[in-house]
Amino acid sequence: MSLPPLVEPAAELTVDEVRRYSRHLIIPDVGMAGQKRLKNAKVLCVGAGGLGSPALMYLAAAGVGTLGIIDFDVVDESNLQRQIIHGQSDVGRPKAESAAATVREINPLVDVVIHNTALTTENVMEIFSGYDLIVDGTDNFATRYMVNDAAVLLGKPYVWGSIYRFDGQASVFWAEHGPCYRCLYPEPPPPGMVPSCAEGGVLGVLCASIGSIQVNEAIKLLTGIGDPLVGRLMIYDALEMKYRDVKVRKDPECVLCGKNPTVTELLEDYEAFCGTISDEAAEAASGSTITAQELKAMQDGGEDIFLIDVREQNEYEIVSIPGATLIPKGEFLNGSALEKLPQDKRIVLHCKSGARSAEALAIVKNAGFSDAVHVGGGVLSWVKTVDPSLPSY
Ligand SMILES: [Zn+2]
């Protein structure tokens, strides 16, 4: 399938631009017309993180005239392993600003628009409407569904990518010409089933593999060349070093882009739609959540507790709360953890941020440990409020 170019060409290129983009201009398929289209293009990158870093850098170098960057976060040391648009001296700086500085350094001809804010249901329609194309580099399901819904409602194409450990995926969703993200994934995964990169890790260079596919597709859409990744899902396995693509069909029953859509405006609450934790976990945690400082006081007061870390071995080795026994969440899910629990001590569970431990708490309480509790905010909160000398991750 070939599609018409997304943007009209700019009137002309300056002498500086001709010099800068000469290696594009001599490719027959791009040429002067294609480069002028890139100059006229307005592209928004959602997230200046793992995927946003290479995406923004190559979009800038390619000569995309207007580049929007939206990110509410600040640069953390643990980002630098893969988020190559930021450097050591950017730690603590808003990501949108740090990314904008790198873009300007790569190509001062780019008009950079900084959105140093979270993308929300209140601002997404207005922000998206100022751009021709969206590049989605988000790392959570709530934002992904919101990006998809806004793009479909506005009739805009977007290039999606996702990364986890050694595996990456990418596609172009454009309801006018093919499926949307909801056609591929009608329902978000059950809460706690799909770990985030923060929980599961990601090989840094994987971001470049997937981010560059996203830029490649963005350039093709903007200039109208090649066979776009519409209706196809690209799947990359870095360990096997294999790319394969599978057909994704438009779902006629899709609630958003199907024949009889029931979702005709943005959802009120995407976090609730994706459920950060399950109903059972939320119920178990209600009234049975302690703070990291309360845990410290229990330990200092000599209370008879059994502290369980439900994260994975690798995470435990990075940082752990003194006195914690590692029993990963999977052992609670398959039931094997229960026989390891003492009957005569109070069970205290924790994980990284409190989501996984709430899921485990529901299982433990169901098994009859009615006074069990979990630590809200997990080990991150312990590092922040009890022992800042420990590393965070
Ligand atoms: Zn759809």
Side-chain angles (χ1 to χ4, degrees):
M1 176 183 13
S2 73
L3 292 172
L6 201 53
V7 289
E8 291 302 311
E12 58 183 356
L13 296 187
T14 65
V15 175
D16 284 346
E17 286 167 337
V18 170
R19 263 201 299 267
R20 176 178 286 263
Y21 305 124
S22 63
R23 298 302 184 277
H24 272 169
L25 299 175
I26 56 178
I27 306 175
D29 287 343
V30 181
M32 191 60 89
Q35 195 64 48
K36 284 179 180 173
R37 291 187 198 279
L38 292 178
K39 181 178 178 176
N40 228 8
K42 296 183 169 73
V43 176
L44 175 71
C45 201
V46 182
L51 294 172
S53 286
L56 283 164
M57 292 167 83
Y58 273 109
L59 288 167
V64 168
T66 303
L67 263 184
I69 306 171
I70 179 159
D71 204 307
F72 67 95
D73 214 355
V74 296
V75 180
D76 182 82
E77 209 171 3
S78 68
N79 300 146
L80 302 180
Q81 157 263 15
R82 64 197 179 286
Q83 300 181 15
I84 56 167
I85 203 165
H86 314 294
Q88 183 64 43
S89 61
D90 296 315
V91 170
R93 193 176 179 196
K95 283 189 183 179
E97 284 175 21
S98 162
T102 304
V103 164
R104 290 192 187 105
E105 175 61 21
I106 291 171
N107 189 346
L109 305 177
V110 173
D111 187 6
V112 190
V113 183
I114 298 174
H115 305 276
N116 187 6
T117 175
L119 195 65
T120 66
T121 49
E122 276 86 50
N123 64 21
V124 63
M125 298 299 267
E126 198 194 328
I127 292 176
F128 278 19
S129 62
Y131 296 90
D132 303 304
L133 177 70
I134 320 296
V135 173
D136 180 15
T138 52
D139 62 353
N140 66 84
F141 288 96
T143 313
R144 254 177 220 160
Y145 278 93
M146 181 170 67
V147 166
N148 180 70
D149 292 2
V152 171
L153 293 170
L154 290 165
K156 289 189 192 283
Y158 77 101
V159 193
W160 167 81
S162 97
I163 45 173
Y164 179 70
R165 293 189 176 162
F166 299 100
D167 298 318
Q169 299 184 352
S171 191
V172 172
F173 295 113
W174 194 357
E176 216 172 293
H177 299 282
C180 79
Y181 182 75
R182 283 179 185 263
C183 295
L184 177 62
Y185 298 114
E187 299 270 339
M193 285 303 286
V194 179
S196 66
C197 286
E199 284 171 19
V202 58
L203 189 73
V205 70
L206 182 71
C207 303
S209 306
I210 300 301
S212 68
I213 290 176
Q214 290 181 283
V215 174
N216 188 66
E217 292 308 307
I219 289 172
K220 282 160 60 185
L221 291 168
L222 295 169
T223 58
I225 60 173
D227 185 7
L229 204 51
V230 173
R232 290 186 291 146
L233 174 68
M234 182 61 77
I235 301 169
Y236 171 58
D237 180 334
L239 281 184
E240 295 287 325
M241 189 42 75
K242 273 186 186 148
Y243 286 94
R244 61 195 176 94
D245 68 330
V246 295
K247 253 200 164 61
V248 183
R249 286 176 210 287
K250 193 176 180 76
D251 178 3
E253 306 301 320
C254 177
V255 294
L256 182 67
C257 78
K259 285 193 194 103
N260 300 300
T262 52
V263 177
T264 53
E265 54 184 44
L266 291 180
L267 304 183
E268 247 169 63
D269 187 343
Y270 282 88
E271 293 286 349
F273 173 63
C274 294
T276 40
I277 58 172
S278 69
D279 293 347
E280 297 82 47
E283 196 181 315
S286 156
S288 299
T289 302
I290 60 168
T291 65
Q293 284 156 317
E294 284 168 341
L295 169 61
K296 176 80 169 114
M298 285 164 104
Q299 288 181 323
D300 290 348
E303 264 188 64
D304 206 12
I305 61 167
F306 188 64
L307 178 63
I308 303 169
D309 185 341
V310 305
R311 297 174 301 156
E312 302 300 316
Q313 179 75 37
N314 290 339
E315 298 179 271
Y316 184 78
E317 284 168 16
I318 294 170
V319 57
S320 58
I321 298 178
T325 301
L326 181 71
I327 308 179
K329 192 186 85 180
E331 295 189 29
F332 288 90
L333 293 177
N334 69 25
S336 64
L338 294 175
E339 63 192 31
K340 298 181 182 172
L341 308 185
Q343 299 289 339
D344 56 343
K345 290 180 200 283
R346 188 174 190 191
I347 306 293
V348 180
L349 302 156
H350 87 83
C351 62
K352 182 179 182 180
S353 62
R356 281 174 282 175
S357 58
E359 301 287 343
L361 181 65
I363 294 166
V364 168
K365 286 196 150 197
N366 255 337
F369 297 87
S370 55
D371 65 345
V373 291
H374 87 129
V375 181
V379 71
L380 292 183
S381 175
W382 178 275
V383 172
K384 209 168 174 184
T385 62
V386 177
D387 190 356
S389 73
L390 291 173
S392 201
Y393 72 104

